Amino acid sequence: MVQNDELIRIIDLLNTTYEGEEAWHGPSVVEVLRGVSPEMAGRKITPNTHSIAELVFHMTSWRIFCVKKMQNDAAFDITTPEKNFGSPNLKIDAFEWEALQMELSLSQEELVNELDKRDDDEFLEDIVPGRDYTYYDMLHGIITHDLYHAGQIMILKKALTFKGGGGNSNHHDDEDDFSPRYGDAYDIDDY
């Protein structure tokens, strides 16, 4: 039997990061998203930051990227902001928020299923089609990517809860409860 110890560890890390109940790093992606209302998901704390919904779309997009690369699709890429973070003017209602979370869950399942098809670890050192890095780097990258964005979502969730952004019907989209100092001095559009 061919060894696949590293692949088993990667799958375990993917699952722990995504939905682990007691990960050493803190809340998993699923735990961080728990309790986020559609109103919170669609809100931006400043005009130049992403909403939670955009971050979930983004995380899904990069999981799909990994799946496509695992399927040897050299041409697949994420080349536009809409493919990366979704439509900037998307209104998030209960249905749309549930759909975004379901797509994230399905992309996680699809990625793990794609990895389960592998019989050994040898492919991990192969170069990803259309890129200059290995599958090993890509898979560890998606784990790190999840942790990074889970941290962002946790901060956004706390900020929106603190400032009443969880559905305050008196709040207008053109108002900003946050001082302009949050983000304006930094170019954070790419995050």
Side-chain angles (χ1 to χ4, degrees), residues 42-82:
R43 240 351 256 292
K44 293 183 178 192
I45 61 170
T46 66
N48 65 338
T49 57
H50 290 292
S51 68
I52 293 172
E54 288 172 330
L55 293 174
V56 169
F57 185 97
H58 173 73
M59 293 167 72
T60 303
S61 295
W62 285 99
R63 268 188 178 70
I64 292 168
F65 174 89
C66 291
V67 169
K68 293 289 190 182
K69 295 306 177 183
M70 295 288 301
Q71 295 169 343
N72 213 21
D73 188 340
F76 185 85
D77 210 342
I78 298 173
T79 56
T80 65
E82 289 78 21

Side-chain angles (χ1 to χ4, degrees), residues 1-186:
M1 178 171 177
V2 179
Q3 291 286 52
N4 62 355
D5 293 342
E6 185 60 28
L7 184 57
I8 290 168
R9 285 192 290 270
I10 289 170
I11 292 170
D12 184 55
L13 280 172
L14 278 166
N15 286 327
T16 300
T17 301
Y18 180 70
E19 63 189 348
E21 291 294 323
E22 294 185 23
W24 73 267
H25 57 76
S28 66
V29 172
V30 169
E31 288 175 306
V32 167
L33 291 174
R34 196 171 292 134
V36 173
S37 68
E39 294 81 15
M40 288 173 73
R43 240 351 256 292
K44 293 183 178 192
I45 61 170
T46 66
N48 65 338
T49 57
H50 290 292
S51 68
I52 293 172
E54 288 172 330
L55 293 174
V56 169
F57 185 97
H58 173 73
M59 293 167 72
T60 303
S61 295
W62 285 99
R63 268 188 178 70
I64 292 168
F65 174 89
C66 291
V67 169
K68 293 289 190 182
K69 295 306 177 183
M70 295 288 301
Q71 295 169 343
N72 213 21
D73 188 340
F76 185 85
D77 210 342
I78 298 173
T79 56
T80 65
E82 289 78 21
K83 285 184 178 181
N84 201 359
F85 289 97
S87 172
N89 300 319
L90 182 64
K91 297 296 179 198
I92 303 298
D93 59 17
F95 176 80
E96 184 64 30
W97 179 228
E98 186 175 333
L100 282 170
Q101 292 178 89
M102 181 60 70
E103 289 167 5
L104 179 63
S105 177
L106 291 172
S107 69
Q108 169 73 11
E109 187 176 317
E110 193 172 354
L111 179 56
V112 170
N113 286 342
E114 203 58 46
L115 292 171
D116 280 338
K117 294 178 184 177
R118 305 295 173 134
D119 293 330
D120 60 59
D121 290 347
E122 288 182 27
F123 84 97
L124 292 171
E125 296 307 318
D126 293 343
I127 299 297
V128 173
R131 291 293 195 255
D132 62 357
Y133 47 80
T134 65
Y135 284 107
Y136 179 90
D137 292 332
M138 180 185 77
L139 294 168
H140 279 281
I142 200 73
I143 293 163
T144 306
H145 186 251
D146 279 356
L147 292 173
Y148 173 75
H149 288 302
Q152 281 185 310
I153 291 167
M154 181 61 83
I155 290 168
L156 289 170
K157 184 176 170 182
K158 286 180 179 184
L160 290 166
T161 300
F162 176 73
K163 287 293 188 177
N168 181 353
S169 60
N170 295 326
H171 186 67
H172 303 287
D173 287 339
D174 59 347
E175 293 178 7
D176 188 357
D177 288 338
F178 298 86
S179 166
R181 71 180 182 271
Y182 290 104
D184 287 354
Y186 306 98

